[in-house]
Short mmCIF file of all heavy atoms in Angstrom, two decimals:
data_model
loop_
_atom_site.label_atom_id
_atom_site.label_comp_id
_atom_site.label_asym_id
_atom_site.label_seq_id
_atom_site.Cartn_x
_atom_site.Cartn_y
_atom_site.Cartn_z
N PRO A 17 124.64 88.79 135.87
CA PRO A 17 123.91 89.66 134.89
C PRO A 17 122.47 89.18 134.84
O PRO A 17 122.15 87.99 134.98
CB PRO A 17 124.61 89.36 133.61
CG PRO A 17 125.57 88.32 133.79
CD PRO A 17 125.67 87.92 135.21
N CYS A 18 121.59 90.15 134.64
CA CYS A 18 120.16 89.84 134.48
C CYS A 18 119.58 90.76 133.53
O CYS A 18 120.12 91.81 133.18
CB CYS A 18 119.46 89.80 135.85
SG CYS A 18 119.32 91.49 136.49
N LEU A 19 118.38 90.43 133.11
CA LEU A 19 117.65 91.24 132.12
C LEU A 19 116.27 91.44 132.68
O LEU A 19 115.58 90.48 133.07
CB LEU A 19 117.56 90.50 130.77
CG LEU A 19 116.68 91.19 129.71
CD1 LEU A 19 117.29 92.48 129.32
CD2 LEU A 19 116.60 90.29 128.48
N LEU A 20 115.83 92.67 132.76
CA LEU A 20 114.49 93.02 133.29
C LEU A 20 113.75 93.66 132.17
O LEU A 20 114.23 94.59 131.51
CB LEU A 20 114.62 94.01 134.47
CG LEU A 20 113.33 94.51 135.04
CD1 LEU A 20 112.54 93.36 135.60
CD2 LEU A 20 113.62 95.60 136.06
N THR A 21 112.56 93.16 131.89
CA THR A 21 111.75 93.75 130.78
C THR A 21 110.31 93.98 131.32
O THR A 21 109.87 93.35 132.33
CB THR A 21 111.65 92.77 129.64
OG1 THR A 21 110.99 91.56 130.03
CG2 THR A 21 112.97 92.43 129.03
N THR A 22 109.71 94.89 130.68
CA THR A 22 108.30 95.19 131.01
C THR A 22 107.57 95.27 129.67
O THR A 22 108.14 95.61 128.66
CB THR A 22 108.11 96.53 131.76
OG1 THR A 22 108.62 97.57 131.00
CG2 THR A 22 108.78 96.46 133.11
N SER A 23 106.30 94.96 129.68
CA SER A 23 105.54 95.07 128.47
C SER A 23 104.14 95.51 128.78
O SER A 23 103.64 95.20 129.88
CB SER A 23 105.48 93.76 127.71
OG SER A 23 104.85 92.75 128.46
N ILE A 24 103.55 96.22 127.88
CA ILE A 24 102.16 96.65 128.06
C ILE A 24 101.42 96.42 126.74
O ILE A 24 102.08 96.45 125.61
CB ILE A 24 102.03 98.13 128.47
CG1 ILE A 24 102.77 99.04 127.48
CG2 ILE A 24 102.55 98.33 129.91
CD1 ILE A 24 102.57 100.51 127.73
N ASP A 25 100.22 96.19 126.80
CA ASP A 25 99.39 95.96 125.57
C ASP A 25 98.99 97.37 125.02
O ASP A 25 98.23 98.11 125.67
CB ASP A 25 98.12 95.15 125.92
CG ASP A 25 97.24 94.90 124.74
OD1 ASP A 25 97.56 95.38 123.62
OD2 ASP A 25 96.19 94.31 124.94
N ILE A 26 99.46 97.70 123.83
CA ILE A 26 99.20 99.01 123.25
C ILE A 26 98.16 98.92 122.13
O ILE A 26 97.93 99.86 121.40
CB ILE A 26 100.46 99.71 122.80
CG1 ILE A 26 101.15 98.89 121.65
CG2 ILE A 26 101.44 99.95 123.91
CD1 ILE A 26 102.19 99.67 120.96
N SER A 27 97.50 97.81 122.02
CA SER A 27 96.52 97.64 120.90
C SER A 27 95.42 98.69 120.99
O SER A 27 95.00 99.25 120.00
CB SER A 27 95.95 96.22 120.86
OG SER A 27 95.37 95.92 122.10
N ASP A 28 94.96 99.03 122.22
CA ASP A 28 93.97 100.07 122.34
C ASP A 28 94.49 101.45 121.93
O ASP A 28 93.81 102.24 121.40
CB ASP A 28 93.41 100.14 123.78
CG ASP A 28 92.52 98.92 124.12
OD1 ASP A 28 92.04 98.28 123.16
OD2 ASP A 28 92.35 98.67 125.30
N TRP A 29 95.79 101.71 122.31
CA TRP A 29 96.39 102.93 121.88
C TRP A 29 96.49 103.08 120.37
O TRP A 29 96.26 104.13 119.84
CB TRP A 29 97.81 103.06 122.46
CG TRP A 29 97.87 103.20 123.95
CD1 TRP A 29 96.79 103.27 124.83
CD2 TRP A 29 99.04 103.23 124.76
NE1 TRP A 29 97.28 103.33 126.14
CE2 TRP A 29 98.59 103.35 126.12
CE3 TRP A 29 100.39 103.20 124.46
CZ2 TRP A 29 99.50 103.47 127.16
CZ3 TRP A 29 101.29 103.31 125.51
CH2 TRP A 29 100.86 103.42 126.83
N ASN A 30 96.86 102.00 119.74
CA ASN A 30 96.97 101.97 118.26
C ASN A 30 95.57 102.32 117.63
O ASN A 30 95.53 103.07 116.66
CB ASN A 30 97.45 100.69 117.71
CG ASN A 30 98.97 100.44 118.03
OD1 ASN A 30 99.67 101.41 118.27
ND2 ASN A 30 99.33 99.22 118.12
N GLU A 31 94.52 101.75 118.12
CA GLU A 31 93.18 102.09 117.63
C GLU A 31 92.81 103.52 117.86
O GLU A 31 92.26 104.20 117.03
CB GLU A 31 92.16 101.12 118.25
CG GLU A 31 90.73 101.32 117.78
CD GLU A 31 90.56 101.13 116.29
OE1 GLU A 31 91.33 100.39 115.67
OE2 GLU A 31 89.66 101.77 115.75
N ALA A 32 93.13 104.01 119.08
CA ALA A 32 92.84 105.37 119.37
C ALA A 32 93.64 106.34 118.45
O ALA A 32 93.12 107.36 117.98
CB ALA A 32 93.20 105.73 120.83
N GLU A 33 94.87 105.97 118.15
CA GLU A 33 95.69 106.81 117.30
C GLU A 33 95.11 106.77 115.84
O GLU A 33 95.10 107.82 115.23
CB GLU A 33 97.09 106.22 117.25
CG GLU A 33 98.02 106.96 116.27
CD GLU A 33 98.33 108.40 116.58
OE1 GLU A 33 98.17 108.79 117.78
OE2 GLU A 33 98.61 109.18 115.62
N ARG A 34 94.65 105.63 115.38
CA ARG A 34 94.08 105.51 114.08
C ARG A 34 92.79 106.42 114.01
O ARG A 34 92.58 107.14 112.98
CB ARG A 34 93.71 104.11 113.71
CG ARG A 34 94.88 103.31 113.24
CD ARG A 34 94.44 101.94 112.62
NE ARG A 34 93.96 101.07 113.64
CZ ARG A 34 94.66 100.28 114.38
NH1 ARG A 34 95.99 100.26 114.31
NH2 ARG A 34 94.15 99.49 115.27
N ARG A 35 91.97 106.39 115.05
CA ARG A 35 90.73 107.19 115.09
C ARG A 35 91.06 108.70 115.02
O ARG A 35 90.46 109.46 114.37
CB ARG A 35 89.91 106.84 116.30
CG ARG A 35 89.22 105.50 116.18
CD ARG A 35 88.43 105.22 117.36
NE ARG A 35 87.80 103.90 117.21
CZ ARG A 35 87.02 103.36 118.07
NH1 ARG A 35 86.71 104.07 119.21
NH2 ARG A 35 86.45 102.16 117.90
N TYR A 36 92.04 109.09 115.93
CA TYR A 36 92.43 110.44 115.91
C TYR A 36 92.98 110.88 114.59
O TYR A 36 92.61 112.02 114.12
CB TYR A 36 93.50 110.71 117.04
CG TYR A 36 94.19 112.04 116.96
CD1 TYR A 36 93.52 113.16 117.41
CD2 TYR A 36 95.36 112.17 116.34
CE1 TYR A 36 94.09 114.40 117.30
CE2 TYR A 36 95.98 113.47 116.17
CZ TYR A 36 95.30 114.57 116.71
OH TYR A 36 95.87 115.78 116.55
N GLN A 37 93.77 110.07 113.99
CA GLN A 37 94.35 110.43 112.70
C GLN A 37 93.25 110.60 111.63
O GLN A 37 93.29 111.57 110.77
CB GLN A 37 95.36 109.36 112.22
CG GLN A 37 96.15 109.74 110.99
CD GLN A 37 97.08 110.89 111.27
OE1 GLN A 37 97.61 111.07 112.38
NE2 GLN A 37 97.35 111.71 110.29
N ALA A 38 92.23 109.73 111.67
CA ALA A 38 91.18 109.85 110.68
C ALA A 38 90.38 111.17 110.92
O ALA A 38 89.98 111.85 109.95
CB ALA A 38 90.24 108.65 110.81
N ILE A 39 90.06 111.50 112.19
CA ILE A 39 89.42 112.76 112.48
C ILE A 39 90.25 113.94 112.01
O ILE A 39 89.71 114.89 111.35
CB ILE A 39 89.09 112.86 113.97
CG1 ILE A 39 88.03 111.82 114.36
CG2 ILE A 39 88.63 114.23 114.36
CD1 ILE A 39 87.88 111.67 115.87
N PHE A 40 91.52 113.95 112.30
CA PHE A 40 92.39 115.03 112.01
C PHE A 40 92.44 115.20 110.45
O PHE A 40 92.35 116.32 109.95
CB PHE A 40 93.81 114.74 112.52
CG PHE A 40 94.82 115.82 112.31
CD1 PHE A 40 94.87 116.89 113.19
CD2 PHE A 40 95.73 115.76 111.25
CE1 PHE A 40 95.76 117.89 113.03
CE2 PHE A 40 96.61 116.77 111.06
CZ PHE A 40 96.67 117.85 111.95
N GLU A 41 92.59 114.16 109.74
CA GLU A 41 92.80 114.22 108.25
C GLU A 41 91.49 114.53 107.53
O GLU A 41 91.52 115.23 106.53
CB GLU A 41 93.35 112.90 107.72
CG GLU A 41 94.76 112.62 108.11
CD GLU A 41 95.83 113.61 107.60
OE1 GLU A 41 95.62 114.12 106.51
OE2 GLU A 41 96.80 113.91 108.31
N LYS A 42 90.34 114.05 107.99
CA LYS A 42 89.04 114.18 107.27
C LYS A 42 88.17 115.32 107.75
O LYS A 42 87.15 115.56 107.06
CB LYS A 42 88.34 112.84 107.34
CG LYS A 42 89.12 111.74 106.63
CD LYS A 42 88.38 110.44 106.77
CE LYS A 42 89.28 109.35 106.06
NZ LYS A 42 88.62 108.01 106.14
N SER A 43 88.56 116.00 108.79
CA SER A 43 87.70 117.07 109.36
C SER A 43 87.63 118.21 108.34
O SER A 43 88.58 118.53 107.61
CB SER A 43 88.30 117.60 110.63
OG SER A 43 87.56 118.67 111.08
N HIS A 44 86.46 118.86 108.25
CA HIS A 44 86.31 119.98 107.42
C HIS A 44 86.73 121.26 108.12
O HIS A 44 86.93 122.27 107.53
CB HIS A 44 84.79 120.17 107.01
CG HIS A 44 84.33 119.05 106.19
ND1 HIS A 44 84.66 119.01 104.82
CD2 HIS A 44 83.57 117.98 106.40
CE1 HIS A 44 84.10 117.90 104.29
NE2 HIS A 44 83.44 117.23 105.29
N GLU A 45 86.99 121.17 109.47
CA GLU A 45 87.50 122.32 110.17
C GLU A 45 89.02 122.28 110.15
O GLU A 45 89.63 121.26 110.11
CB GLU A 45 87.01 122.26 111.65
CG GLU A 45 85.56 122.53 111.82
CD GLU A 45 84.62 121.30 111.50
OE1 GLU A 45 85.19 120.20 111.61
OE2 GLU A 45 83.49 121.54 111.13
#
């Protein structure tokens, strides 16, 4: 038996998601 894992750094994705969410929520359009 073996275990294979992969990982990626999503810290940039989280920041992009926060920025998108702020634009979406605060936009006047």
Side-chain angles (χ1 to χ4, degrees):
C18 69
L19 175 65
L20 176 64
T21 63
T22 59
S23 64
I24 56 173
D25 181 1
I26 62 167
S27 56
D28 288 340
W29 293 357
N30 290 334
E31 180 59 27
E33 176 66 23
R34 281 191 292 277
R35 287 181 182 182
Y36 169 78
Q37 190 67 31
I39 292 168
F40 185 83
E41 293 294 327
K42 295 178 182 180
S43 175
H44 293 284
E45 290 80 23

